[in-house]
Amino acid sequence: MALQNCAQVPDGEFTAVVYRLIRDARYAEAAQLLGAELQRSPKSRAGLSLLGYCYYRLQEFALAAECYEQLGHLYPDMEQYRLYQAQALYKACLYPEATRVAFLLLDNPAYHSRVLRLQAAIKYSEGDLPGARSLVEQLLGGEAGEERVGRNDPDSQINLGCLLYKEGHYEAACSKFFGALKVSGYQPDLSYNLALAYYSNRHYAPALKHIADIIEHGIRQHPELGVGMTTEGIDVRSVGNTSVLHQTALVEAFNLKAAIEYQLKNFEAAQETLTDMPPRAEEELDPVTLHNQALMNMDTRPTEGFEKLQFLLQQNPFPPETFGNLLLLYCKYEYFDLAADVLAENAHLTYKFLTPYLYDFLDAMITCQTAPEEAFIKLDGLAGMLTEQLQRLTKQVQEARQNKDDDLVKKAVNEYDDALEKYIPVLMAQAKIYWNLENYSMVEKIFCKSVEFCNDHDVWKLNVAHILFMQENKYKEAIGFYEPIVKKHYDNILNVSAVVLANLCVSYIITSQNEEAEALMRKIEKEEEHLSYGDPDKKIYHLCIVNLVIGTLYCAKGNYDFGISRIIKSLEPYNKKLGTDTWYYAKRCFFSLLENMSKHMIVLCDNVIQECVQFLEHCEVFGRNIPAVIEQPLEEDRMYTGKNTVTYESRQLKALIYEIIGWNM
C-alpha cells in the first residue's frame, strides 16, 4: 500500500523506510515521502540526493537534474553533483544545458574521463559525428588523463560501432558490436545494437535471430512483463516504464521486429508484433512505439494515426522519420494545405529531417493542388535525375558481374533498388495528374517511357494494367498484365486485390473468354468457402466485388435487367457481403437505373422493380451499423451519424423508386 505522507512513518524509522522502498524499486513512493520531508528541510543533502536518484530511476530526468542543481549550489565543493546534473540533463535531451554543466568539470582530473564520455554521447545525440569521434579517439588514446584504453575493450568497440552505424558503415558496425558481444557475453542492449545494424544493412534473418534472443531472455527472466498477453486477448495491467523493462530491451526489440515485418509487407504480423510487447498505457508509450503504432494502423485508424504523429512532432526529441512520414501521409490523403502549413511552420526541421529528394517530391505534390502543369515539370526534373542514377547503377551492376565481384554487385543492386523505389512514386505522381484529367492515353505514354527500369516492378505492372483497362479498347493487353499478378498469388488468391480480380474477369468477358472468367470465379468462391470454415463470421468481399463489377458492366451497356439482378445476388447473404465498399458499387448502379427510368429511357418489368424494392428492404435491415461513406480522417464537418448508414441511403433509394413508379403511372 502506498505511503501517503510522513505522518504514516513511525518515529525514527523514516530513513529505514525510504531505503527499503528504494531497495524494492518502489521509487514513486520513496519520492513522495522525500518530497514531503524536503518541504520541512529544503536544504537536506541526503533528502535531495535520494530524491534526485529516485527521479532518475523513474526516468523523470528533468526533475532529477533540478535536485542535483540544488545540491550543486548548496555544496559547491561536491563536484559529483554537477556530473549527475549533466547526466540527467543529457537523459532529458537538454543537450546545450548538459554541455554547459559538463564543461565546468573538465579541469577536474578525477572526472575528466567521465566528462569526455558524456560529451561524446551528447555530440553523438546531436548528430555531430566528427565531434563525437574526436572525443572517442581522445579516450582511446589515453588523453583523458587515465591509462590508455585498448580498442578491443568492449566499451571502445561499442562506441566505435555506434559511430560507424551513424556514418552508414553497417557491416563495420556489425563487426564491432559482434566483437563486443563475444567479449562481454549476452547483453540485451548490445544484441539490439547488432540487430539494428543488420536490419539497416538489409540482413533481416540475422537481425530477427538476435531479436528472438532478446525476446526469449526477456520472457524467461521476467515473466511478469506479460509479453504477448495483449495479443492473446488477456486483460492485463500496465507494467509501466520500469528500469527492468528498459534493461531487457524488449520494447526496442519488438519495435525493430515490427519494422522488419513492415518492410517485408507482412502488415498483419507487424501489427501483431506491436501488441506482443509488454503492456503499457498509451500515455506511457515511448516515441518510437507511438510512431510505429500510428504508421502501421493508418489504414484502419487514420484519425488516430494523424493525432499521434502531430503530437510527436511537438515533442523533443521525436523519431526522425516522423516529420517526413506525416507530410507524406498528408499528401496521400490529399491534405495538401496541411502539408504546406507543416512545412512552413517547421522550416528548421526541413534540412535536418528531409533529404533533397523527399523535399523536392513533397514540394511537387503540394504544387499539384493549385498548379498541376508546374508540378508536372518539377516531377519531370526529379524523374530525369533519378533516370540518370538508374542508368549509371545499371552499368555498375553489369561491370561488377563481368568482374565477378559479388560484394560490389550486391552493393550496386541495393543502390539500384533504392533509386527505383524513389523513381516509382515520382512516376505515379506524374501519371496521376493526367489520370485526374481522364487523359488515359497520356498516362500510358508516361508508363511506356519508364519500361526500361520498371517492367519487373509490381506497382508499375498493376498501374499499366489499370490504364489499359480504362481505355475500353485494350482489354486483351490489360489481361496480359493482370494475369501474371493473379497467377503469382494463385494459391492464395484472396491476397490479390478484389478490383484486380474483377477487372480481369470483366476483360475475359468482353474478349469472349467466358470459360476463363468462370474458372477464376470458381477459384475465388472455393477459397472464400475454405476461409469461412476457419472464421465463419469474417466478412470476405472478393467474389461479391467481382460480381458487382460485372453487374456494373451490364448496367453500363444498358442491360439493367441482368445487371441489377447480378448485383442483388452478389450481396447475398447480406450479413457477410454488405459493407461500405460493396454498397458503393451497388448504389451507383441503382442511381444510374433511376436516372434512366426518370428520363423514360428504359422500362423495367414489374418483377424486376419488386426485386429491387425487396433488395433495398434487406439492405435497410442489415445496414444499420454499416457506414455508407468512409469519411476523411481529419474532416471537420462530420456527417450526422444517423444519415451516414446504408439503412438511411437504402430508404432514400426505395422512396425514389416509389416516386418514379408513380410518375410512370
Side-chain angles (χ1 to χ4, degrees):
M1 184 175 175
L3 297 166
Q4 296 299 318
N5 52 56
C6 298
Q8 294 174 283
V9 180
D11 290 341
E13 293 290 318
F14 184 83
T15 302
V17 168
V18 168
Y19 275 104
R20 272 201 301 273
L21 290 171
I22 292 173
R23 181 199 63 192
D24 297 338
R26 295 162 65 183
Y27 303 113
E29 295 170 46
Q32 190 176 15
L33 278 176
L34 290 163
E37 179 64 21
L38 282 167
Q39 289 180 356
R40 294 189 291 187
S41 306
K43 295 184 179 181
S44 167
R45 177 182 165 188
L48 283 168
S49 179
L50 287 170
L51 184 59
Y53 176 80
C54 289
Y55 279 143
Y56 195 92
R57 300 295 288 182
L58 289 167
Q59 300 180 53
E60 297 285 356
F61 300 116
L63 293 175
E66 287 179 15
C67 291
Y68 292 126
E69 184 179 14
Q70 288 183 55
L71 285 164
H73 289 312
L74 291 169
Y75 306 98
D77 295 335
M78 307 293 292
E79 290 199 317
Q80 70 262 36
Y81 292 130
R82 291 192 187 278
L83 179 63
Y84 300 156
Q85 181 192 355
Q87 288 173 332
L89 289 167
Y90 161 68
K91 285 285 192 178
C93 302
L94 299 170
Y95 302 128
E97 294 86 344
T99 302
R100 189 183 68 250
V101 174
F103 184 77
L104 300 173
L105 296 169
L106 272 176
D107 294 333
N108 188 332
Y111 297 109
H112 194 64
S113 174
R114 294 169 72 181
V115 170
L116 281 182
R117 287 191 178 93
L118 180 58
Q119 286 182 324
I122 291 169
K123 288 191 178 295
Y124 181 84
S125 299
E126 288 179 323
D128 181 4
L129 298 185
R133 181 173 283 281
S134 171
L135 291 165
V136 169
E137 294 291 346
Q138 283 185 48
L139 287 162
L140 292 172
E143 297 175 32
E146 294 183 353
E147 187 179 341
R148 182 188 176 97
V149 178
R151 283 181 177 268
N152 293 326
D153 173 71
D155 284 347
S156 303
Q157 294 272 56
I158 293 167
N159 289 339
L160 290 170
C162 289
L163 286 166
L164 288 164
Y165 174 82
K166 278 282 191 179
E167 290 164 354
H169 305 305
Y170 303 123
E171 285 199 22
C174 285
S175 176
K176 295 293 182 186
F177 292 140
F178 191 74
L181 200 60
K182 284 175 69 176
V183 173
S184 63
Y186 173 78
Q187 292 180 31
D189 55 345
L190 189 48
S191 288
Y192 171 74
N193 286 353
L194 186 54
L196 184 62
Y198 276 128
Y199 163 76
S200 298
N201 209 25
R202 298 185 182 178
H203 294 161
Y204 297 142
L208 287 168
K209 176 187 174 298
H210 287 285
I211 289 168
D213 288 344
I214 295 168
I215 294 170
E216 185 184 337
H217 276 86
I219 292 172
R220 190 169 62 247
Q221 294 172 3
H222 298 284
E224 74 278 5
L225 292 177
V227 170
M229 296 287 192
T230 305
T231 303
E232 292 173 11
I234 301 170
D235 190 18
V236 286
R237 290 177 57 191
S238 164
V239 299
N241 285 312
T242 61
S243 56
V244 170
L245 179 62
H246 179 66
Q247 289 161 10
T248 61
L250 281 169
V251 170
E252 293 85 350
F254 277 114
N255 273 313
L256 185 54
K257 185 181 178 185
I260 292 171
E261 297 289 5
Y262 193 81
Q263 289 291 338
L264 296 173
K265 303 193 185 304
N266 301 327
F267 301 121
E268 288 187 12
Q271 291 172 339
E272 188 174 299
T273 299
L274 289 180
T275 59
D276 277 343
M277 70 171 62
R280 291 173 294 167
E282 189 166 70
E283 61 272 14
E284 295 172 332
L285 295 178
D286 58 285
V288 174
T289 302
L290 204 62
H291 170 271
N292 289 346
Q293 281 188 354
L295 200 61
M296 294 180 194
N297 296 299
M298 202 70 194
D299 288 341
T300 52
R301 300 198 295 274
T303 305
E304 188 179 306
F306 277 121
E307 287 173 354
K308 287 177 178 177
L309 293 173
Q310 289 161 352
F311 169 78
L312 283 172
L313 203 59
Q314 298 164 13
Q315 306 307 302
N316 179 35
F318 56 80
E321 298 83 2
T322 305
F323 189 52
N325 284 340
L326 178 59
L327 291 167
L328 286 169
L329 286 165
Y330 276 147
C331 291
K332 178 183 175 181
Y333 284 85
E334 299 189 352
Y335 291 121
F336 299 111
D337 289 343
L338 288 176
D341 289 345
V342 169
L343 269 176
E345 291 166 6
N346 299 279
H348 61 291
L349 301 177
T350 301
Y351 298 103
K352 187 174 181 181
F353 295 114
L354 298 183
T355 61
Y357 157 79
L358 187 52
Y359 177 79
D360 290 342
F361 178 71
L362 288 165
D363 180 45
M365 292 294 290
I366 292 167
T367 307
C368 276
Q369 185 185 25
T370 52
E373 300 88 352
E374 185 184 340
F376 188 89
I377 294 168
K378 289 182 177 182
L379 290 166
D380 208 38
L382 203 52
M385 181 193 71
L386 291 166
T387 300
E388 289 176 10
Q389 280 185 29
L390 289 166
Q391 289 169 340
R392 175 173 50 80
L393 290 166
T394 301
K395 190 176 179 182
Q396 285 182 15
V397 172
Q398 291 168 348
E399 289 173 355
R401 283 176 177 158
Q402 287 171 0
N403 298 329
K404 297 182 179 179
D405 188 336
D406 292 340
D407 290 337
L408 197 57
V409 167
K410 185 178 177 183
K411 181 175 181 292
V413 167
N414 283 340
E415 288 180 7
Y416 180 91
D417 289 342
D418 287 340
L420 185 59
E421 290 305 315
K422 291 178 180 177
Y423 179 60
I424 289 289
V426 174
L427 183 70
M428 295 305 153
Q430 283 185 294
K432 192 171 187 299
I433 290 171
Y434 283 100
W435 176 280
N436 291 340
L437 298 170
E438 298 186 6
N439 188 346
Y440 302 127
S441 59
M442 189 63 191
V443 178
E444 187 181 354
K445 287 179 184 176
I446 291 169
F447 286 148
C448 286
K449 288 180 183 177
S450 57
V451 68
E452 177 187 356
F453 307 112
C454 306
N455 61 328
D456 288 329
H457 200 285
D458 288 344
V459 172
W460 183 85
K461 288 190 285 189
L462 176 62
N463 283 283
V464 170
H466 286 332
I467 203 62
L468 292 169
F469 180 85
M470 289 301 294
Q471 291 182 66
E472 298 186 354
N473 59 355
K474 295 186 177 181
Y475 291 110
K476 284 186 178 178
E477 293 89 336
I479 290 170
F481 283 92
Y482 280 132
E483 271 186 343
I485 296 169
V486 174
K487 286 178 179 176
K488 183 179 178 181
H489 303 280
Y490 199 72
D491 292 336
N492 296 295
I493 202 163
L494 297 183
N495 290 340
V496 181
S497 166
V499 172
V500 171
L501 297 172
N503 287 358
L504 180 55
C505 281
V506 167
S507 300
Y508 280 145
I509 292 167
I510 291 177
T511 55
S512 302
Q513 300 179 60
N514 291 358
E515 289 181 5
E516 284 82 353
E518 289 170 6
L520 181 59
M521 291 172 73
R522 282 196 297 272
K523 173 68 175 174
I524 298 167
E525 186 175 14
K526 185 179 176 182
E527 288 291 322
E528 286 192 357
E529 287 175 357
H530 178 72
L531 198 61
S532 66
Y533 291 143
D535 189 356
D537 297 325
K538 186 174 182 179
K539 289 190 173 186
I540 311 164
Y541 297 123
H542 279 64
L543 186 61
C544 175
I545 288 176
V546 170
N547 279 312
L548 283 166
V549 172
I550 292 170
T552 303
L553 170 68
Y554 280 98
C555 289
K557 300 293 183 184
N559 188 349
Y560 284 97
D561 284 3
F562 182 80
I564 290 292
S565 176
R566 184 97 185 202
I567 284 165
I568 290 170
K569 286 183 173 60
S570 70
L571 284 165
E572 297 172 355
Y574 297 95
N575 62 325
K576 287 189 177 182
K577 301 298 183 184
L578 186 60
T580 304
D581 289 337
T582 54
W583 174 246
Y584 168 76
Y585 283 104
K587 72 181 176 185
R588 283 202 317 168
C589 293
F590 272 86
F591 279 126
S592 174
L593 169 68
L594 292 170
E595 182 184 4
N596 283 292
M597 286 175 67
S598 66
K599 293 177 180 177
H600 302 280
M601 293 176 69
I602 60 168
V603 177
L604 289 185
C605 302
D606 288 347
N607 63 325
V608 176
I609 291 173
Q610 189 59 38
E611 196 177 353
C612 290
V613 171
Q614 287 176 353
F615 166 74
L616 292 170
E617 286 174 348
H618 284 126
C619 291
E620 188 179 333
V621 172
F622 290 95
R624 295 183 188 280
N625 299 314
I626 299 172
V629 178
I630 300 295
E631 293 184 90
Q632 286 287 78
L634 301 179
E635 196 68 50
E636 291 184 6
D637 298 324
R638 295 280 175 183
M639 293 175 65
Y640 178 64
T641 310
K643 290 186 176 181
N644 188 23
T645 62
V646 170
T647 295
Y648 180 80
E649 289 194 352
S650 60
R651 285 173 181 166
Q652 285 191 311
L653 284 171
K654 188 169 69 170
L656 284 171
I657 287 177
Y658 285 141
E659 190 173 352
I660 290 168
I661 291 169
W663 289 345
N664 289 340
M665 288 172 64

